């Protein structure tokens, strides 16, 4: 009998860690794709939890969450949609905070096409200009703000190609369907260096700050893994990952 009890205890000790581990579903704005993949991998290694990531436009995620999509955490590309979810009482109380400030870049997949300034844009020396749909994507709103402040809306409008989100906008430029595009700096930067092509990192005084908020949704309110992810995003090693992609991390541990 004693040997049976010992075997049962051993089996139970093996099962307990597995029982504590969770898989959570996380909605992530497209601009944050590359850093979030690294962050999720590090989180899984550190905690044993699993993270199922979905990437897309913040506007579409907001609509899906309103209609009951089974996400537990939402990393938005702006503050407006998390604020609205808070007003809608669809998030855990006091869970919303700003995790990063995004930055915008004008990018071409062609080396030397953009010479670190706005001249190519101002001289209209391109056939197509890609930008994210401002109705769905905050980076699209920022692109419109830049064009307005440079007085280039009317001059460029007939050249616009709009992506549903910033990921599709990047694809338009990377495939050559548009010579130029407004993309998230994180999409073209790695370890602080431009991965390919040529770019102009747009001065932040040309567009309103892109403050990006994260929220714990009601479906994740009682999830230890979801709560742990929100704490993990504030850790120094995570901030280093964000910085390497051009973000300005804003979240701080209390």
């Amino acid at each position: 009998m004693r040997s049976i009890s010992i075997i049962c205890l051993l089996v139970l000790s093996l099962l307990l860690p597995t029982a504590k581990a969770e898989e959570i579903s996380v909605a992530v704005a497209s601009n944050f794709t590359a850093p979030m993949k690294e962050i999720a991998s590090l989180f899984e290694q550190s905690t044993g939890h699993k993270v199922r990531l979905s990437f897309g436009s913040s506007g579409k995620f907001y609509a899906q969450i309103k209609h009951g999509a089974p996400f537990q955490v939402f990393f938005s590309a702006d503050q407006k949609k998390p604020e609205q979810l808070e007003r809608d009482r669809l998030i855990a109380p006091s869970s919303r905070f700003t995790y990063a400030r995004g930055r915008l870049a004008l990018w071409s997949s062609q080396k030397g096409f953009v010479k670190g300034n706005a001249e190519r844009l101002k001289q209209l020396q391109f056939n197509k200009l890609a930008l994210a749909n401002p109705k769905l994507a905050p980076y699209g709103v920022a692109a419109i703000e830049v064009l307005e402040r440079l007085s280039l809306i009317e001059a460029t409008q007939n050249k616009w190609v709009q992506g549903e989100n910033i990921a599709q906008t990047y694809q338009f430029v990377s495939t050559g369907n548009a010579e130029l595009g407004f993309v998230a700096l994180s999409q073209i930067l790695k370890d602080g260096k431009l991965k390919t092509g040529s770019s102009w990192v747009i001065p932040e005084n040309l567009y309103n700050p892109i403050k990006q908020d994260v929220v714990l949704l009601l479906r994740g309110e009682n999830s230890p893994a979801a709560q742990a992810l929100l704490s993990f995003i504030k850790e120094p090693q995570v901030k280093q990952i964000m910085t390497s992609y051009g973000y300005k991390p804003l979240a701080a541990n209390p």
Side-chain angles (χ1 to χ4, degrees), residues 50-161:
K50 297 296 179 184
V51 182
R52 186 169 63 252
L53 300 172
S54 298
F55 300 102
S57 72
S58 295
K60 282 210 164 183
F61 279 136
Y62 169 75
Q64 290 171 6
I65 292 165
K66 285 271 290 182
H67 287 88
F71 298 117
Q72 287 142 301
V73 179
F74 173 37
F75 286 84
S76 180
D78 67 357
Q79 292 184 307
K80 290 182 179 179
K81 293 163 190 71
E83 286 173 351
Q84 186 59 55
L85 288 171
E86 188 170 33
R87 286 192 290 270
D88 296 336
R89 298 184 180 180
L90 292 175
I91 73 169
S94 304
S95 68
R96 179 176 63 84
F97 64 86
T98 303
Y99 64 95
R101 190 167 82 208
R103 298 172 68 190
L104 190 68
L106 183 70
W107 179 63
S108 172
S109 61
Q110 302 176 44
K111 191 173 182 179
F113 195 76
V114 182
K115 300 186 183 299
N117 54 47
E119 287 310 303
R120 176 74 65 173
L121 190 63
K122 289 178 177 179
Q123 293 174 11
L124 305 178
Q125 295 178 339
F126 56 91
N127 291 320
K128 296 293 179 183
L129 175 65
L131 64 156
N133 185 343
K135 293 180 180 179
L136 296 171
Y139 280 78
V141 173
I144 295 296
E145 290 170 349
V146 172
L147 292 172
E148 285 177 342
R149 291 177 189 181
L150 295 176
S151 301
L152 288 173
I153 292 283
E154 290 186 13
T156 62
Q157 200 160 10
N158 65 337
K159 297 174 180 283
W160 292 359
V161 179

Side-chain angles (χ1 to χ4, degrees), residues 181-198:
F182 288 102
V183 299
L185 182 60
S186 61
Q187 294 175 297
I188 60 174
L189 211 63
K190 176 64 175 174
D191 296 327
K193 297 179 181 179
L194 184 66
K195 291 189 288 187
T196 186
S198 53

Side-chain angles (χ1 to χ4, degrees), residues 16-78:
L16 277 175
T18 303
K20 290 180 180 178
E22 286 185 79
E23 181 177 77
I24 54 174
S25 183
V26 179
V28 184
S30 296
N31 73 89
F32 205 58
T33 297
M36 192 63 206
K37 286 180 178 179
E38 286 193 32
I39 293 165
S41 176
L42 189 61
F43 175 74
E44 290 178 342
Q45 292 171 29
S46 301
T47 66
H49 297 304
K50 297 296 179 184
V51 182
R52 186 169 63 252
L53 300 172
S54 298
F55 300 102
S57 72
S58 295
K60 282 210 164 183
F61 279 136
Y62 169 75
Q64 290 171 6
I65 292 165
K66 285 271 290 182
H67 287 88
F71 298 117
Q72 287 142 301
V73 179
F74 173 37
F75 286 84
S76 180
D78 67 357

